[in-house]
Amino acid sequence: MTKSADTHCPYCALQCAMTLTSPAGLAPASQPGPVPVTVLPLPASAAKNAPVLQVSGRDFPTNRGGLCRKGWTSTSLLNHPGRITEPLLKGADGVHRPISWDQALELAVGAVKDARARYGRDSVGVFGGGGLTNEKAYMLGKFARLALGTSRIDYNGRFCMSSAAAAGMRAFGVDRGLPFPLEALDTASTILMLGSNVAETMPPFVQHLKGTRDAGGLIVVDPRRSPTAAFTADGGGLHLQPLPGTDLALLLGISHVVIHENLVDTPYIEERTSGYSAVVRSVNSFWPERVQSITGVPAELIRETARRLAEGARKGGSYILTGRGVEQHVDGTDTATAAINLSLLLGLPGSASSGYGTLTGQGNGQGGREHGQKADQLPGYRKITDPAARAHVAGVWGVPEDLIPGPGLPAVQLLQSLGQPDGVRCLFVHASNIAVASPDANAVINGLRSLDFLVVCDFFMSETAAEADLILPVLQWAEEEGTLTNLEGRVLRRRRALTPPAGARSELWIMARLAQALDAPSTYSEDPETVFEELRLASAGGLADYSGINYAMLDRGEAAYWPYPAGSNGTPRLFREKFAHSDGKAVMTPVTPRRRRTPGANPDPAAKTMTLITGRLLEHYQSGAQTRRVSELLEARPEAKLQLHPAAAASMGITEGAFVSVANERGEVLCRAELSPAIRPDTVFLPFHFPELESANRLTEAATDPISGMPEFKFNTVWVRPVAAPVSTNVLQTMEAS
């Protein structure tokens, strides 16, 4: 009999609802045991296996039955022939070979004990991911701090949401990506969207923009004429196309118009905010004509944007939404703060029909940062330096408070410490492909290779797993139970639809076994619901309070938006009565653009100096470790291409499809050119899904925002030139090493 399981897509934070159906029925989990694994490269034809489960879209408020190409093909990876299903140990010859789980656990425990004995507890590090369930993210933070005894834990959400999170905490006292249900956008008159290309990154999202677009109220800020920006055509709205890295100045210019044209919601400012006067002074020098000279955006467009937002707030509602394009900068927190200040000037946050929000990227990017993966946080979004927070969590864990380490290092600093005398010498990596996804990727790979021992939990041989001494095979999304929190702060159930391979294990199982072998204090369950029950207790009273949520209510389909204290009905829309600061007011903070580092001089007179921005493609996700293994997606986008304007290409003698070198002092990328008038002539775009010679993060800088720790992904100087043919890997590595 055909059976089905209702669950959610494994990719982005939209968490589209889907139903997985298996004609063979849903089998219970089998007992663990070793199975063979293929570790050699497979021909492309071998990847075209029939999906083991059928996917159908399920009606849900975020996706309304729709799925993107990634969602429709998501189950093809569940029985992929490249799946790792046994622990693998790298030999002296560099080849990974299967070993037993007993051997694997013994090696991992030995590596931890050796590092701690030789270098101290903080020589052991953990790098987590925004794709982990809430249960695994929670347990990973506990495992790192108690079982490993280290403060050195952070995760790839530092590369995603950290600037928006820091700005939200500063302004509102709490960080929830969208503090309102996504459906609220359906009736908006005006939406200002900065730095987000939802038409490609989360396509079902765009149906929530239709009403605004039909009313001519969609305003998109992007240096490219992206598919999302293209929705503004034919009367749909406005496209503002600033110079990369000038979004902060643009937002200050819009705020200047709001203030000086008396568009401010004065009663709201007086009753619900503090810091207004300082913000007024900070924007006085950013009049539209000056901002035009900085950003390239015409002064009249700046004025028109301010007026439309103010009019929308008075009528059907206005929303300001930010994404990584304006946040992944060394001034990303200040840029997000400027967007929040603008929204407060207009009285949007906490309104019944308006608001400000930021679009979470990773599948559990919201929940993944709430319960302990971040270097400075404990479960429930508690500060690790807060004595009361430490005491509460220590009580739930049943340990003395002083056993919990203090704050660790944010992701970039953590990765820069790899292999260093006072840095991390033994690293555990979960749900992250840092060899491709990190800034200055060449330096990160060198750091991985300098470790005494690297343990990677994965289900495919990612570029990071290929560097590992030990690979531990884990479950895929459709093989596990758990919860995730989507971009609205809504907690969702992930349900198992498939028996996992006999040799794969849940990260909960792995952490429980390692904790036992390390004689760790407290308890470590491998049952997701048991872990969630503990998470509820640990989060109780915190900003991200899950104490009123349980599996039974989620299984009944009840909507659960945090904070959801026990005895409440949750909080679909935040800030209706007050903000999370002690006085109940939002804090307006003056910000101003800061000078960036001056890049090195172009050493090649034949190369043109340009600004590089990076981003996603419709067909791929994050580092591409999964989507590059889906034949339909890889065939559609088999390689990275450098998008550049035809005029810029002509000035360098570059033609469509020709090979180009894109380089700077950190590295070099070789790829084909894709000519498009959709991008500014002074800017080039490179997707970040591809490895090795096509890896965009060979070029990105590891400089970080001083508040959030966010790297400078979206503004990097590069030198572009045509090349006659691909440069070999050995030659390129030699050039970079020199």
Side-chain angles (χ1 to χ4, degrees), residues 338-363:
I340 293 173
N341 286 343
L342 173 60
S343 72
L344 291 169
L345 290 171
L346 295 164
L348 309 185
S351 164
S353 59
S354 297
Y356 163 83
T358 183
L359 303 180
T360 305
Q362 297 185 79

Side-chain angles (χ1 to χ4, degrees), residues 275-618:
Y276 171 72
S277 297
V279 168
V280 171
R281 291 192 296 271
S282 71
V283 304
N284 275 340
S285 61
F286 288 89
W287 60 90
E289 283 73 19
R290 182 189 175 215
V291 172
Q292 175 179 320
S293 70
I294 297 170
T295 66
V297 176
E300 278 311 304
L301 275 183
I302 295 170
R303 292 189 174 93
E304 180 68 13
T305 297
R307 293 163 185 164
R308 289 195 185 197
L309 285 168
E311 183 182 9
R314 292 192 301 268
K315 294 183 177 179
S318 283
Y319 287 86
I320 297 175
L321 305 176
T322 64
R324 303 303 80 75
V326 298
E327 298 161 5
Q328 288 179 324
H329 293 285
V330 292
D331 59 1
T333 300
D334 285 350
T335 304
T337 296
I340 293 173
N341 286 343
L342 173 60
S343 72
L344 291 169
L345 290 171
L346 295 164
L348 309 185
S351 164
S353 59
S354 297
Y356 163 83
T358 183
L359 303 180
T360 305
Q362 297 185 79
N364 199 31
Q366 181 70 62
R369 69 180 181 272
E370 295 166 1
H371 300 301
Q373 286 193 92
K374 289 184 76 173
D376 57 351
Q377 286 183 190
L378 290 172
Y381 229 131
R382 289 181 159 91
K383 293 182 182 295
I384 201 167
T385 54
D386 178 3
R390 294 173 62 85
H392 173 84
V393 174
V396 174
W397 290 350
V399 300
E401 180 271 327
D402 60 6
L403 205 61
I404 301 175
L409 298 175
V412 170
Q413 294 178 44
L414 177 64
L415 295 177
Q416 288 174 336
S417 81
L418 299 184
Q420 298 302 307
D422 58 349
V424 169
R425 308 300 292 260
C426 173
L427 180 68
F428 289 77
V429 178
H430 295 256
S432 292
N433 189 12
I434 52 180
V436 176
S438 303
D440 198 2
N442 286 332
V444 171
I445 292 171
N446 288 335
L448 294 174
R449 291 173 180 173
S450 68
L451 290 166
D452 293 356
F453 204 76
L454 174 60
V455 182
V456 174
C457 293
D458 211 328
F459 35 78
F460 290 120
M461 185 64 77
S462 69
E463 288 72 22
T464 304
E467 301 292 339
D469 297 287
L470 178 64
I471 305 172
L472 302 180
V474 294
L475 307 185
Q476 291 197 63
W477 61 288
E479 301 163 351
E480 65 181 5
E481 297 282 333
T483 63
L484 299 98
T485 306
N486 76 350
L487 78 175
E488 311 163 296
R490 177 172 176 167
V491 183
L492 308 169
R493 276 280 277 124
R494 171 174 284 180
R495 297 179 179 86
R496 185 174 61 192
L498 189 69
T499 303
R505 301 287 190 275
S506 165
E507 283 95 337
L508 294 179
W509 184 94
I510 293 170
M511 286 185 276
R513 296 304 186 278
L514 290 176
Q516 181 181 29
L518 289 165
D519 296 320
S522 196
T523 59
Y524 302 83
S525 176
E526 61 187 88
D527 174 61
E529 187 169 7
T530 301
V531 174
F532 190 82
E533 289 299 305
E534 184 178 309
L535 182 159
R536 292 175 61 197
L537 297 176
S539 72
L543 291 172
D545 190 333
Y546 283 32
S547 60
I549 305 172
N550 58 52
Y551 273 32
M553 62 180 290
L554 297 177
D555 286 339
R556 290 193 297 270
E558 296 181 29
Y561 296 87
W562 72 260
Y564 204 123
S568 76
N569 294 314
T571 317
R573 188 178 277 270
L574 285 168
F575 315 137
R576 294 290 290 126
E577 297 179 359
K578 63 180 181 178
F579 296 96
H581 292 298
S582 58
D583 62 359
K585 293 185 176 183
V587 176
M588 301 183 74
T589 302
V591 292
T592 189
R594 66 169 58 93
R595 292 175 65 96
R596 284 180 163 83
R597 182 186 68 85
T598 301
N602 183 352
D604 185 354
K608 185 181 180 77
T609 300
M610 305 188 79
T611 299
L612 169 70
I613 56 177
T614 66
R616 292 180 182 173
L617 299 173
L618 172 66

Side-chain angles (χ1 to χ4, degrees), residues 16-266:
C16 295
M18 57 170 56
T19 298
L20 304 180
T21 305
S22 171
L26 303 179
S30 60
Q31 293 299 311
V35 295
V37 60
T38 303
V39 296
L40 298 175
L42 290 158
S45 59
K48 295 184 178 181
N49 52 303
V52 67
L53 294 171
Q54 295 176 337
V55 178
S56 58
R58 183 161 55 90
D59 188 44
F60 193 71
T62 56
N63 64 307
R64 294 170 178 157
L67 299 172
C68 73
R69 296 186 69 179
K70 294 184 289 290
W72 287 119
T73 58
S74 57
T75 59
S76 64
L77 294 176
L78 295 171
N79 63 337
H80 192 281
R83 176 78 180 270
I84 300 173
T85 56
E86 284 183 289
L88 301 176
L89 178 67
K90 181 182 284 187
D93 58 358
V95 176
H96 287 91
R97 295 182 176 85
I99 60 172
S100 71
W101 269 105
D102 286 343
Q103 291 174 293
L105 296 174
E106 183 179 355
L107 284 168
V109 169
V112 170
K113 290 182 175 179
D114 181 64
R116 293 196 307 200
R118 296 172 64 188
Y119 308 108
R121 288 182 176 269
D122 277 350
S123 66
V124 181
V126 176
F127 200 96
L132 296 174
T133 62
N134 288 318
E135 293 79 2
K136 291 190 289 186
Y138 167 80
M139 190 58 72
L140 191 61
K142 179 180 179 181
F143 171 77
R145 294 182 172 99
L146 297 188
L148 300 179
T150 184
S151 69
R152 299 311 197 239
I153 176 173
D154 211 69
Y155 80 130
N156 62 14
R158 185 72 66 174
F159 302 155
C160 180
M161 292 297 299
S162 59
S163 290
M169 293 295 289
R170 178 159 69 177
F172 306 132
V174 67
D175 154 46
R176 197 179 90 187
L178 293 184
F180 48 80
L182 186 58
E183 289 180 299
L185 299 178
D186 294 343
T187 57
S189 295
T190 308
I191 296 175
L192 172 62
M193 182 171 289
L194 304 106
S196 183
N197 180 19
V198 291
E200 288 195 288
T201 59
M202 45 181 70
F205 186 106
V206 300
Q207 60 193 308
H208 298 285
L209 304 176
K210 184 179 185 302
T212 305
R213 189 240 177 254
D214 290 347
L218 180 61
I219 307 171
V220 177
V221 177
D222 198 315
R224 297 193 301 148
R225 185 75 169 174
S226 68
T228 305
F231 287 149
T232 64
D234 302 322
L238 305 175
H239 176 208
L240 281 57
Q241 201 166 4
L243 280 163
T246 64
D247 306 286
L248 177 49
L250 177 62
L251 285 162
L252 296 177
I254 299 170
S255 295
H256 181 284
V257 175
V258 170
I259 292 168
H260 289 273
E261 293 193 3
N262 298 315
L263 302 176
V264 175
D265 187 335
T266 303

